[in-house]
Amino acid sequence: MSQGLTPSQVLVNETVKKMRLGDLSGSLLAATRAIQEDKGNTHAWGVRAAVSNRLKNYDAAISDATEALKLEPKNVPALLERGYAQLNLSNYSAALEDIGAALKIEPMNALAYLYRGMVFEKLARFTEALTDYETAAKLDPSLRHFLEEAKDRILGRKKGAGGGRGLSVKRVAFWAVPVGLALLLILIGVWRRKGDVRESRSELVAGADTDGEATAALAEAQGSGPVGPGSLLGGTYRVTRELGRGGMGVVYEAMDE
């Protein structure tokens, strides 16, 4: 036994060592033994909450963190472990409450900003999320990869949403038919009007024969010349590039303007 440490404290140290080695089962057992040795050991409850979070046993993590907070209400690690567990159970208000309490005690806690950024992202409060991710990375550079990953997710999501005036990518396919049809244009989707708002979900499929006669007819019908980059189809879809072609026809990518 280490000099000056109680059996419970020794077991807590063993728990931490096993966690660092990735032995979560062993660390859970050691933490449980530490609690049995001394139910008043705040650190033991908090460490077992951390182990339970890593095992994705979030209810157990909340229970253990709560026990730690009964003993020490301003225990920041316990607040963060409980907040993280609440986040993973989608209890976002409770998570924000615990994380906010931790930040009041330790305003420069990088992990608290990281966890709060995760909550804000789940709530689609993306500007606040990025701000917290950036703060976490500034306070602890080792957390920077979380910021970079969040930027990819959030900025990619915003780009995909179109931001009002942006363009969304549609795929326009000109499929072959075995007989020489003049032109077949099918617009599949649901259009709804409410005031000046129109929502749509559609695909544009134009019939074409293998020698391109129907494709030419489609282009003539649209008044845009041969189909290719820059062509406007249906007054809505601007062709950006050809994706591929084969015996069955040609596939283009287009922007829904």
Side-chain angles (χ1 to χ4, degrees):
M1 183 186 301
S2 300
Q3 187 174 2
L5 296 180
T6 67
S8 181
Q9 290 170 334
V10 171
L11 286 166
V12 167
N13 290 342
E14 182 182 337
T15 301
V16 174
K17 289 178 182 178
K18 289 181 180 295
M19 285 179 66
R20 289 173 178 169
L21 293 173
D23 181 6
L24 294 181
S25 296
S27 60
L28 181 63
L29 179 59
T32 301
R33 290 170 60 199
I35 290 170
Q36 289 178 344
E37 285 284 345
D38 181 7
K39 288 184 170 57
N41 187 334
T42 305
H43 196 189
W45 288 106
V47 169
R48 194 169 73 170
V51 176
S52 292
N53 266 331
R54 283 149 186 78
L55 289 170
K56 298 184 180 181
N57 189 349
Y58 303 119
D59 288 322
I62 290 172
S63 178
D64 284 350
T66 299
E67 290 298 324
L69 291 166
K70 287 178 183 178
L71 296 167
E72 187 182 335
K74 292 186 177 182
N75 187 304
V76 170
L79 283 167
L80 292 180
E81 292 299 339
R82 191 168 71 177
Y84 182 78
Q86 298 284 17
L87 161 63
N88 282 281
L89 291 175
S90 301
N91 299 328
Y92 302 131
S93 296
L96 286 175
E97 184 177 348
D98 281 338
I99 297 167
L103 283 171
K104 286 182 180 179
I105 300 167
E106 293 184 9
M108 304 299 286
N109 190 300
L111 195 59
Y113 284 105
L114 177 67
Y115 287 171
R116 194 172 69 173
M118 293 176 177
V119 178
F120 283 151
E121 185 177 353
K122 290 291 186 179
L123 293 171
R125 293 163 61 175
F126 299 128
T127 300
E128 294 165 285
L130 284 175
T131 298
D132 274 357
Y133 283 129
E134 288 171 356
T135 302
K138 287 178 182 177
L139 292 172
D140 185 348
S142 70
L143 301 178
R144 185 161 189 84
H145 74 280
F146 288 101
L147 170 62
E148 299 304 326
E149 290 176 351
K151 283 181 177 179
D152 288 342
R153 290 192 305 271
I154 293 172
L155 299 180
R157 184 182 292 112
K158 286 183 176 180
K159 183 178 179 181
R165 294 183 61 186
L167 302 178
S168 60
V169 177
K170 300 284 185 179
R171 295 294 167 88
V172 183
F174 299 90
W175 300 100
V177 291
V179 295
L181 300 176
L183 178 66
L184 176 63
L185 181 63
I186 305 174
L187 184 63
I188 305 172
V190 178
W191 294 81
R192 289 177 294 183
R193 295 179 180 273
K194 185 175 182 182
D196 294 330
V197 179
R198 182 175 66 180
E199 298 178 356
S200 68
R201 179 169 59 88
S202 63
E203 297 176 5
L204 183 64
V205 182
D209 54 13
T210 54
D211 62 9
E213 290 180 1
T215 301
L218 172 63
E220 182 179 355
Q222 299 301 323
S224 58
V227 175
S231 301
L232 184 64
L233 307 179
T236 301
Y237 301 98
R238 178 76 64 182
V239 176
T240 56
R241 63 189 175 115
E242 180 181 314
L243 294 177
R245 62 174 60 223
M248 294 296 291
V250 184
V251 179
Y252 295 95
E253 179 182 86
M255 295 289 189
D256 182 351
E257 296 188 338

